[in-house]
Every structure is written in C-alpha cells, then in structure tokens.
Amino acid sequence: MTTIAQWDMFEASFSGPMGGNPFRDIELDAIFSRHGRRVRVPGFYDGEGVYKIRFMPDTEGTWTFETRSNDTALNGQFGGLTVTAPRQQNHGPVQVANRHHFAHADGTPFLSFGTTCYAWTHQPLGEQDKTLETLEQTRFNKLRMGVFPKDYPYNVNEPLHDVYQRDANGQLDFDRPNPESFRHFEDQVKALGDRGIQADIIMLHPYDRWGYSGMSAEQDYRYFAYLTARLAAYHNVWWSLANEYDFLLDTKPMHQWDRYFHIIEENDPYGHLRSIHNGDPKANYDHRKSWVSHVCIQHWDVKRTSEWRAAYGKPVVNDEPEYEGNITEAWGNISARELVHRFWTTVLRGGYAGHGETYRHPDDLIWWAKGGELHGQAWQRIGFLRDVLEEDARNGFEPIETGMRFASRVSAARDGDTTIIYLGEHQPEIWAYGLPGQPGEYDVDIIDTWAMTVTPAQRVPAPENHPVRHGAVSLARKPDAAFAVELPGRPHLAIRIRRARN
C-alpha cells in the first residue's frame, strides 16, 4: 500500500482502451473512502492507453478506493493508501478565512503577494528555468499563468506545445487534448508548489490566434472537466476562469460562465479557490454568486478596495493595479514607486494586490508575458511589505478609520494589537490620528516603504487643539490619541503601532 503525506498527491494509473476517442468516449472516476466518508474523484485519459486518478487526501489514516467506468477494464479497480502527517512545508490548499482574507487548510495565514507571467510555460525550456530561478529570489507567493498560449504585442512567438492534438490535415482537433502539453503544464505547477507559490491558473483568455478561445460550448465544458481532473489534486492550485472574460462575451454568454464554475465545483472535491477576471472596469462579474470564492479584479484606483469589499463581502485581489514598466500602453508604464504605493494602499484597505513588470526588451522578453528575469525595482519593496505584514498577521488586516477629517486620503488597518497607518503621498511633520487613545506601553515605528527601513519613532504629546483650514473656515480638533508621532516630512511613509512586547 502506498504511503504519502497529507495534502500531497496520490496517483493511480490503469490500462484501458486506445481506440475511438477515449477523451470523449470513456468515463472514469473513483470513490475514495475512509471511516464512512466518501469522496468522488474524477479520472482522465493521459494518452497511449493510460488512464489516471489523482487524489489529495486531507486527513491522515488509511483510505481505500474503487473505480467506476463505462469500460469493463477500468471499472471496479481497487486500491488504497496510507496518509501520514503533512510535510513541514505543506500547509494545505489556500481557503477563504475571516470573510475577507485567506489561510491554508492548517490555519496558517496566507497573505497574497502575486505576480503575472501569462505565457511562461509556453517559452523555451531555458527561459522557463530562468523564471523559476528568478521567483526563488523574490517573495511572490502566487503566479498568474495561462493554460493556453497568448497572441499579443510583445508575445507573438510560437508556443512550446500545442494544447490540443493536430489532425491529419494539420488542424487542431479540439476534441483531443494533447497530454504532452498538459503534463508539462502540471510539472510547472508542481515546481511552483515546491517553492511555496500558488498557481493561479487562467483557464481561458481572448488573446488567441490558434482558435482555443473559439471552441464550442461542449468543447469548453469537456476542457474544464479535463483540466480540473488533472490538476485539482495539486495543493497549490487556484482557478481563474478567464483573463478579461468580458472580451469573450460575444461568443460565450453569461450562462456559460456560470456553467464553467459549476463544472469546476463538480470535479474539484477539494474546493480550491475560484474566481474570474474582468477587462472593462464597468463589466465586473457578479462575485456575490455563491460559487465564486473571492473577487479578482483589475483597476487602477486602488482606494476603491474598501468599496469592493463592502459590495461583495469576499476577499478582494486586485491582480492588475497596472504594471511597472515603459511600454506604450498606459497600463504598462507606471513607475516602480507608484506600484509600491498602490500595493500599500490596497493591503491597508483590506485587500491584496498583484505585481507585473513590462519593461521593453529587444527580444520581447517581458516578465508579464514570458517570465525570465526582473529588471524593475518594485518587486524588492513588495517583498519587504510582505515581510512587514507577516510579522503580525493573525486574522487579516482590517481597515480602520483614523479619525482624521477626509480620512479616506490615508489608509490604515489593524490585525490584533498591531495597527499600521500608511500616509501615501502625504508628508506631515507630526501625526496624531488613529493612534491609541489610552496611555500605555507601545512600540511605534516609522516605515519607509521605498528605502525598506524600520526606525523607532519619536513620540511627542498629542496636540490639544489641532487647527485645520477648510476653505475660509478655521476649525479646531482634538485628536483622540494619547501621543503623536514626529515624522521626517517625506512621502510614502507608514506608522506601525504595536503593544510593547517583552
């Protein structure tokens, strides 16, 4: 009997028919059982007469399984496995936690710090190795990546593999997946998991010259079921139905998108995270639907994060708050400082942001499209932000009001006894808003988000009356704080307040 660790993948292979079209004709699944619990796991055809079942056990102990199939050779196969404690580095799949946040299955908080390499698995193998080497030097823990190759400016090369097989006339046959392509893709999903990185798998997109985006509804349905059967047993999988799904709405009506979600639900017994990504800011999918786990969005105005949280009641991941780079397109030429600013604003308004890098390259080796190497300056600062937050992350940083008039101009959040206030573009010399209202022992630090430094703050008495000019009227306000903080008077600073720790 096979022995594996909890949340690792168990795989069983069987020999079966090769004639006709096994991808369409053969049905296969298995029921895994333990102490009366039954879990249905779909199977799939892996080519050359080989059929596979993959299972990710979520509890320790002995499991048994029995296959079910419309083919006699595959029906009624028995087996079992012994599941031991999880490996130290495997905390299980990521799930929604505390309504607006994420955690691994074992309760370890997960703060999403993602990046985008849409077509990296379709590049030459040397470039793919370089991508993995680069990721090891960063603090990114999620990677957006497409199953299909992409046809778009800066990304016009032919893919490493066809995702579907070709017929006798050299045309892609969308009824016959190419197992070689899927094997390679899942190998790279595993490589990410080995590095502690979630694979945010984009299942469809509109940027296509091969015809993948124009498959029929029935072909799409089979594709979603096939991909889910192959990949659901990897612990580091997230499902993203599409990148900019609304650009496909002329060929794929809304009821189809709902059906895609249901197919994933039916074939993923582990409940991996599920979402969908918009193109037009006004065409966002209704993330309130029960089959959507979290909000995936692109929008430059990251101060709206609190608004999206309130509207959908789910975690918000703004995977495209625009990209650091210098290409012509406006979404791909913001500065590194601006991207870092948008990250801090997003997370201290209770959401999560995504990175992308789009610097011109003579061979179009742009990270956002192909992976490879990073050339910008934001990624190090984003890693610093992750380190700062993970020092105190428990339940997730929840937005708070600072008590300042026009408080929406700054961003602040609290997790447990830790409060962080990000001042953004503002550069006051003294700050007293949102600080503790009662005397006590507190550690207060000034964080320079660009220089990546943490410096103990100089505390001063809170001002009794703080004048504020509002038009022609002079107002006086007494901050509800036991002390104030002196600041060096430059932008992009944050203040961290923690109860003193012995």
Side-chain angles (χ1 to χ4, degrees):
M1 184 176 286
T2 302
T3 298
I4 67 167
Q6 182 179 345
W7 297 312
D8 282 355
M9 186 179 71
F10 168 79
E11 181 179 279
S13 298
F14 311 94
S15 296
M18 298 177 60
N21 186 348
F23 296 102
R24 293 191 58 170
D25 302 337
I26 303 300
E27 299 171 4
L28 173 66
D29 67 8
I31 300 298
F32 282 75
S33 302
R34 179 179 180 274
H35 292 173
R37 181 182 171 202
R38 292 163 56 86
V39 179
R40 176 191 170 270
V41 177
F44 62 92
Y45 183 54
D46 198 34
E48 300 179 345
V50 176
Y51 294 77
K52 292 184 176 180
I53 298 279
R54 289 174 173 166
F55 177 57
M56 181 185 68
D58 59 4
T59 54
E60 298 177 46
T62 299
W63 290 81
T64 60
F65 70 86
E66 179 180 0
T67 63
R68 305 183 301 185
S69 177
N70 60 348
D71 179 79
T72 56
L74 296 171
N75 188 54
Q77 299 278 352
F78 292 89
L81 65 152
T82 299
V83 181
T84 61
R87 293 177 293 114
Q88 184 175 3
Q89 64 270 36
N90 188 351
H91 298 285
V94 175
Q95 306 166 339
V96 173
N98 304 313
R99 189 178 186 189
H100 290 111
H101 301 283
F102 303 107
H104 290 275
D106 70 353
T108 302
F110 179 84
L111 279 62
S112 177
F113 283 86
T115 187
T116 295
C117 300
Y118 283 123
W120 78 280
T121 65
H122 294 285
Q123 307 311 310
L125 294 176
E127 283 299 308
Q128 296 187 42
D129 290 342
K130 194 178 297 182
T131 301
L132 293 171
E133 292 168 3
T134 299
L135 287 168
E136 289 180 345
Q137 307 306 311
T138 74
R139 295 283 284 138
F140 295 124
N141 58 11
K142 183 171 78 71
L143 181 68
R144 298 174 70 219
M145 52 192 283
V147 177
F148 293 119
K150 190 171 183 179
D151 180 47
Y152 195 74
Y154 322 107
N155 191 8
V156 297
N157 59 300
E158 287 299 315
L160 186 65
H161 300 109
D162 292 324
V163 182
Y164 280 77
Q165 300 177 49
R166 293 188 180 270
D167 60 22
N169 297 318
Q171 301 299 310
L172 289 169
D173 182 350
F174 297 125
D175 291 322
R176 292 180 181 271
N178 178 8
E180 182 182 16
S181 175
F182 284 90
R183 287 186 212 116
H184 174 72
F185 187 84
E186 64 201 19
D187 284 347
Q188 298 299 51
V189 169
K190 181 181 183 303
L192 293 174
D194 291 343
R195 291 162 173 79
I197 300 171
Q198 303 293 306
D200 196 352
I201 297 172
I202 300 168
M203 304 170 87
L204 293 173
H205 67 73
Y207 305 105
D208 171 40
R209 67 174 182 268
W210 300 272
Y212 299 119
S213 62
M215 295 190 297
S216 71
E218 291 303 318
Q219 288 168 335
D220 277 351
Y221 297 156
R222 286 194 296 271
Y223 157 67
F224 271 80
Y226 185 75
L227 184 67
T228 308
R230 292 197 71 116
L231 287 168
Y234 289 85
H235 65 86
N236 62 315
V237 162
W238 296 26
W239 304 117
S240 180
L241 267 66
N243 183 59
E244 299 179 336
Y245 85 101
D246 44 307
F247 297 157
L248 288 167
L249 282 176
D250 55 341
T251 58
K252 302 182 190 300
M254 187 58 70
H255 69 84
Q256 273 187 227
W257 295 104
D258 293 345
R259 179 61 187 143
Y260 299 152
F261 273 107
H262 299 326
I263 290 172
I264 295 172
E265 285 184 303
E266 293 161 8
N267 292 281
D268 175 5
Y270 321 106
H272 288 294
L273 295 171
R274 300 179 298 271
S275 196
I276 188 169
H277 180 82
N278 65 294
D280 185 340
K282 298 179 181 179
N284 207 18
Y285 187 83
D286 185 359
H287 294 95
R288 293 172 299 178
K289 294 179 177 179
S290 62
W291 45 82
V292 183
S293 61
H294 64 285
V295 179
C296 180
I297 199 169
Q298 64 166 303
H299 206 290
W300 61 271
D301 187 0
V302 296
K303 288 188 175 180
R304 293 183 61 187
T305 301
S306 301
E307 172 189 328
W308 300 321
R309 280 169 46 106
Y312 298 114
K314 297 178 180 179
V316 173
V317 183
N318 187 348
D319 273 311
E320 292 189 41
E322 298 185 326
Y323 299 138
E324 173 192 5
N326 61 4
I327 60 176
T328 303
E329 291 78 359
W331 47 261
N333 56 33
I334 67 172
S335 70
R337 284 181 180 267
E338 178 62 21
L339 183 58
V340 172
H341 166 67
R342 294 184 188 186
F343 258 81
W344 277 84
T345 301
T346 299
V347 299
L348 292 179
R349 288 171 183 256
Y352 301 91
H355 163 273
E357 191 179 284
T358 48
Y359 284 105
R360 290 186 180 275
H361 187 280
D363 298 319
D364 284 343
L365 298 179
I366 300 178
W367 176 262
W368 140 92
K370 300 178 180 179
E373 297 178 329
L374 288 163
H375 303 282
Q377 301 180 75
W379 65 270
Q380 301 100 319
R381 278 87 186 171
I382 293 168
F384 170 73
L385 169 58
R386 178 183 169 188
D387 290 340
V388 167
L389 294 183
E390 287 189 346
E391 280 189 42
D392 298 290
R394 300 295 183 270
N395 300 308
F397 279 87
E398 286 291 305
I400 63 168
E401 294 292 336
T402 61
M404 175 191 178
R405 188 177 178 88
F406 313 120
S408 62
R409 295 183 180 179
V410 301
S411 306
R414 178 176 295 130
D415 190 352
D417 291 334
T418 299
T419 299
I420 301 178
I421 302 168
Y422 175 59
L423 303 178
E425 62 270 33
H426 304 289
Q427 43 188 342
E429 294 181 349
I430 186 172
W431 185 264
Y433 302 102
L435 303 179
Q438 299 296 324
E441 294 297 320
Y442 298 95
D443 295 324
V444 184
D445 298 307
I446 298 173
I447 300 172
D448 188 317
T449 67
W450 184 257
M452 299 183 285
T453 58
V454 179
T455 306
Q458 179 65 42
R459 292 166 49 168
V460 297
E464 287 295 321
N465 288 284
H466 192 58
V468 178
R469 296 291 299 178
H470 181 59
V473 181
S474 181
L475 307 174
R477 179 167 60 253
K478 181 178 179 180
D480 184 19
F483 57 86
V485 178
E486 285 190 344
L487 296 167
R490 58 178 182 268
H492 301 139
L493 299 178
I495 305 167
R496 181 177 63 189
I497 309 100
R498 301 188 285 196
R499 287 196 178 276
R501 302 176 180 185
N502 297 326

